[in-house]
Amino acid sequence: MSERETMTAYLSAFVDELAMNLIEHVVVCPGSRSTPLALLLAEHPDIQVHINVDERSAAFFALGMAKGLGKPVAILCTSGTAAANFYPAIIEAYYSRVPLVVLTADRPHELRDVGAPQAIDQIHLYGKHVKWFAEMALPESSKNMVTYARNVCARAAATASNAPAGPVHLNFPLREPLVPLLKQPGFFGNGRRENQTDNTVQSGFLSLSQPQFDRIADLLSASERGMIVCGDINIAGFREAVVALAEKTGFPILADPLSQLRSSSCNNDLIIDSYDTFLRFEQVAGQLNPDVVIRFGAMPVSKALTQFLKRQSGIRHFIVDSGAGWREPAGIAPHMIYCDETLFCTEMTSRMNQNSLHGWTNLWKTINNKTVSALRTVRDDAELNEGKLFSLLQDYLPENTALFVSNSMPIRDLDTFFTKNKKEIKIFANRGVNGIDGIVSTALGVSTVFRPTVLVLGDLSFFHDMNGLLAARLQKLNLTILLVNNDGGGIFSFLPQYAEKEHFEVLFGTPHGLDFSHAVELYGGAYSKAETWENFRVHLEKSFRLDGLKVIEVPTDRESNVQKHRDLWNYVSQEIINVLIE
Ligand code: TPP
């Protein structure tokens, strides 16, 4: 066999196995060393290649696709700093439990550490931020090695998907010649197992024994003030199961926006959505101490909630995690329950008696309702402001929208102002490590799965990933971006360093004075600027009718934004305290 035939046999088996494991989307970055994999991926009939020149954006794009699809996406790049540019998205994927299969091409061993061009040490390049690393063998076409290539691929796909999902990294040493033999008859079937219809790896759900479930149900039944907390979680059947548990127990559910419980046909009056506001007020929070907490998903966005939970140190906190991790940053002594979340809810619901906790639950509901209606006064502001934008989105977003929000103030304002409703709106954010990088690309990745997709982000987040916009143009994607432009980092005005006036603007405010219309034009998008709220509504509705990239800039002011938030919190606290006195 020629070198090209050998390489083709080995790598085509690998690529075919990706498709056999239902990895149908691969984001490919151009490069030389990765040529054979790129060509074979492009040739495979069941794989769709998404080309993206900037590796940092490419990896975030893949992250967004994987989030949207709920299954692994692969990424491929050449050797050297190209691979290093994947790193931020890999870290985010690791901490937010998103499955990615990372493929990097590398020099063969004789060209490593000898001054060969574009050669860096790619072994364990992503350190502890991948679930699994494998250095592939050099291509060989023996039956054994073709099976090996398929097995590594199947294992990588399974490892990425299994709870907790996350990224895996395969590094491919490749020698020249780098162009495979295409159009070979049957080469994608090479080495497939007989009757290969199922995935190679079958896995099940984590569960507890019946006595373990019984014991926890007994403990929960003894509770008089139980509370459920749901953070970022996206597990089949969970929403219905947790609502059923709440209805049976009478426990209120504190639902983070990423719990997918706020915008959902299954939400009901047990869902508490304005806790981030009212738990800030000690006088109110002090009335609401639970005697048991059940937590699902990642720790919620709300700092007020984390601090509230931290104060509940003398009670049981059950933290249910099908990923068997340790997501407990509040520093309390938790009771970890390594069990599928949906299964846990179902088992508890079937064991517990119908609740009689109306007094406790009603207090939560009353305070929540009062807070929500007080927060709605944000809508009385005639000027453009950041909170009102999220309050209005609740009304303006159509059914089945994917809403992606950036870190910094957008996710916080979403938490405060985007309250529960019956529309099915899927909410996404990069909350693994809260970066403001790669946001445009991640949202574009989501937009390949959902239409419409709406991204809300600040000007610095937008600036950080302007390169990502190229994908919208090249791949003809449909995305509405709401660019909240307060000319710098608005979040820092809420922090104590805001008082250090001498240095604040240079070090934290970081105004840039950029006119983003040029960037949008460069990438062929439709740019508009909202001057009034009516204007905003018209632009937004129009954006849903247009194809392609649409950017609506919403100019706001950092200084007045902080003041408006503070005034509103003061007003809300007065309103709730009045309720408590009544
Ligand atoms: N760099 C990265 C990659 N991630 C980060 N989270 C930060 C820096 C620190 N950081 C957090 S928020 C923020 C920065 C720099 C400012 C974000 O500004 P913008 O996106 O305009 O949103 P705003 O604060 O105005 O809501």
Side-chain angles (χ1 to χ4, degrees):
M1 252 196 197
S2 70
E3 284 173 330
R4 286 179 72 195
E5 282 170 323
T6 298
M7 178 259 280
T8 304
Y10 176 83
L11 294 181
S12 61
F14 178 88
V15 166
D16 189 46
E17 192 67 28
L18 281 177
M20 295 306 293
N21 283 275
L22 304 180
I23 297 182
E24 289 138 355
H25 296 275
V26 185
V27 181
V28 173
C29 304
S32 172
R33 191 60 48 173
S34 47
T35 297
L37 281 165
L39 284 168
L40 290 166
L41 287 164
E43 276 290 293
H44 200 289
D46 300 328
I47 289 180
Q48 203 182 331
V49 163
H50 306 260
I51 197 80
N52 204 314
V53 178
D54 178 328
E55 285 79 10
R56 184 166 73 165
S57 298
F60 276 109
F61 184 85
L63 177 86
M65 284 186 95
K67 276 177 189 254
L69 293 164
K71 63 178 194 167
V73 168
I75 46 178
L76 169 69
C77 72
T78 189
S79 63
T81 53
N85 276 286
F86 277 169
Y87 210 161
I90 290 173
I91 296 174
E92 174 60 30
Y94 183 75
Y95 287 105
S96 57
R97 300 183 173 183
V98 177
L100 288 181
V101 176
V102 182
L103 312 174
T104 53
D106 199 353
R107 309 270 139 174
H109 302 80
E110 67 275 15
L111 291 180
R112 294 183 186 174
D113 199 19
V114 290
Q118 212 176 315
I120 66 170
D121 184 354
Q122 295 183 192
I123 306 297
H124 289 289
L125 181 61
Y126 308 114
K128 292 183 175 172
H129 297 104
V130 286
K131 290 177 69 186
W132 186 51
F133 166 79
E135 163 76 347
M136 297 294 290
L138 280 154
E140 282 182 42
S141 56
S142 65
K143 190 165 178 291
N144 267 356
M145 291 310 282
V146 165
T147 303
Y148 156 84
R150 283 189 177 272
N151 285 346
V152 176
C153 182
R155 183 173 172 187
T159 307
S161 306
N162 277 346
V168 297
H169 176 203
L170 304 179
N171 191 50
F172 284 80
L174 296 168
R175 283 201 186 108
E176 294 178 11
L178 293 167
V179 178
L181 293 165
L182 301 178
K183 318 283 183 226
Q184 298 293 295
F187 70 151
F188 282 130
N190 176 21
R192 265 189 209 167
R193 294 181 305 284
E194 292 216 339
N195 302 321
Q196 185 167 359
T197 48
D198 290 332
N199 288 356
T200 317
V201 180
Q202 305 288 323
S203 61
F205 296 123
L206 269 183
S207 181
L208 302 182
S209 67
Q210 295 303 316
Q212 284 174 311
F213 281 131
D214 291 342
R215 159 105 180 111
I216 298 168
D218 285 347
L219 291 170
L220 293 180
S221 298
S223 155
E224 292 179 347
R225 299 187 316 278
M227 176 177 124
I228 298 172
V229 176
C230 294
D232 186 355
I233 185 165
N234 205 350
I235 288 180
F238 173 72
R239 293 188 318 182
E240 292 75 8
V242 77
V243 168
L245 177 61
E247 280 170 349
K248 194 78 180 279
T249 55
F251 295 177
I253 306 178
L254 279 64
D256 182 82
L258 301 174
S259 67
Q260 311 303 341
L261 281 160
R262 286 200 195 174
S263 267
S264 136
S265 50
C266 67
N267 96 42
N268 69 9
D269 67 346
L270 286 166
I271 291 183
I272 305 295
D273 50 0
S274 66
Y275 55 83
D276 179 61
T277 302
F278 64 73
L279 290 179
R280 288 165 195 259
F281 314 130
E282 185 43 47
Q283 223 176 322
V284 180
Q287 309 270 326
L288 295 170
N289 293 329
D291 62 6
V292 70
V293 175
I294 317 173
R295 258 192 50 211
F296 302 96
M299 194 67 175
V301 170
S302 166
K303 189 173 172 189
L305 175 57
T306 303
Q307 287 175 339
F308 176 74
L309 290 172
K310 219 177 185 145
R311 292 197 295 272
Q312 314 303 323
S313 54
I315 62 166
R316 280 196 176 82
H317 293 248
F318 292 109
I319 299 181
V320 186
D321 186 359
S322 55
W326 200 272
R327 298 202 287 198
E328 206 305 286
I332 43 101
H335 294 265
M336 291 293 176
I337 299 178
Y338 292 161
C339 177
D340 178 73
E341 290 84 353
T342 305
L343 179 69
F344 178 83
C345 291
T346 315
E347 293 289 337
M348 288 303 116
T349 305
S350 70
R351 281 169 169 77
M352 293 183 68
N353 295 325
Q354 194 61 42
N355 78 82
S356 53
L357 304 180
H358 301 301
W360 155 252
T361 310
N362 283 343
L363 183 60
W364 277 94
K365 286 190 209 169
T366 308
I367 292 174
N368 192 59
N369 291 342
K370 194 73 201 170
T371 307
V372 170
S373 55
L375 283 170
R376 272 179 84 90
T377 58
V378 74
R379 293 187 178 212
D380 301 340
D381 191 351
E383 285 174 26
L384 296 176
N385 86 56
E386 301 182 16
K388 180 170 174 178
L389 182 132
F390 283 98
S391 183
L392 292 178
L393 280 185
Q394 235 167 273
D395 295 353
Y396 295 169
L397 293 183
E399 194 68 47
N400 297 319
T401 301
L403 173 62
F404 198 104
V405 285
S406 183
N407 290 311
S408 204
M409 286 313 288
I411 185 77
R412 293 181 170 81
D413 283 332
L414 175 89
D415 198 7
T416 308
F417 297 102
F418 194 90
T419 46
K420 64 187 174 183
N421 57 82
K422 290 276 185 194
K423 283 186 208 166
E424 282 293 342
I425 294 173
K426 199 120 171 95
I427 303 181
F428 296 95
N430 280 348
R431 290 305 287 177
V433 280
N434 308 354
I436 59 159
D437 47 349
I439 299 292
V440 170
S441 298
T442 319
L444 281 168
V446 170
S447 81
T448 62
V449 184
F450 294 89
R451 182 163 188 185
T453 298
V454 174
L455 164 64
V456 186
L457 85 180
D459 45 287
L460 294 188
S461 304
F462 184 76
F463 165 77
H464 221 291
D465 192 22
M466 286 198 300
N467 278 4
L469 294 172
L470 185 60
R473 182 184 167 89
L474 295 184
Q475 296 175 43
K476 301 194 175 12
L477 301 172
N478 302 301
L479 176 69
T480 297
I481 297 184
L482 303 179
L483 165 55
V484 182
N485 188 358
N486 55 25
D487 197 18
I491 195 167
F492 298 118
S493 304
F494 289 82
L495 303 179
Q497 58 265 48
Y498 187 49
E500 301 301 330
K501 296 291 179 211
E502 192 189 336
H503 300 292
F504 181 80
E505 273 301 278
V506 173
L507 291 178
F508 304 102
T510 56
H512 45 74
L514 292 175
D515 177 351
F516 290 111
S517 67
H518 302 299
V520 180
E521 196 185 333
L522 175 66
Y523 292 105
Y527 170 86
S528 57
K529 188 186 268 191
E531 312 282 353
T532 62
W533 286 117
E534 177 53 14
N535 203 224
F536 168 73
R537 187 186 62 78
V538 170
H539 288 312
L540 182 62
E541 283 178 1
K542 188 173 164 203
S543 80
F544 298 138
R545 296 192 298 273
L546 292 176
D547 287 340
L549 171 71
K550 288 88 44 173
V551 178
I552 304 168
E553 183 170 337
V554 182
T556 59
D557 177 67
R558 280 187 270 133
E559 196 86 25
S560 67
N561 187 42
V562 187
Q563 201 46 51
K564 282 179 182 179
H565 276 79
R566 297 220 162 105
D567 291 347
L568 192 58
W569 284 322
N570 283 339
Y571 169 69
V572 177
S573 83
Q574 267 321 311
E575 288 292 291
I576 317 173
I577 287 163
N578 288 342
V579 172
L580 291 178
I581 295 167
E582 275 164 20

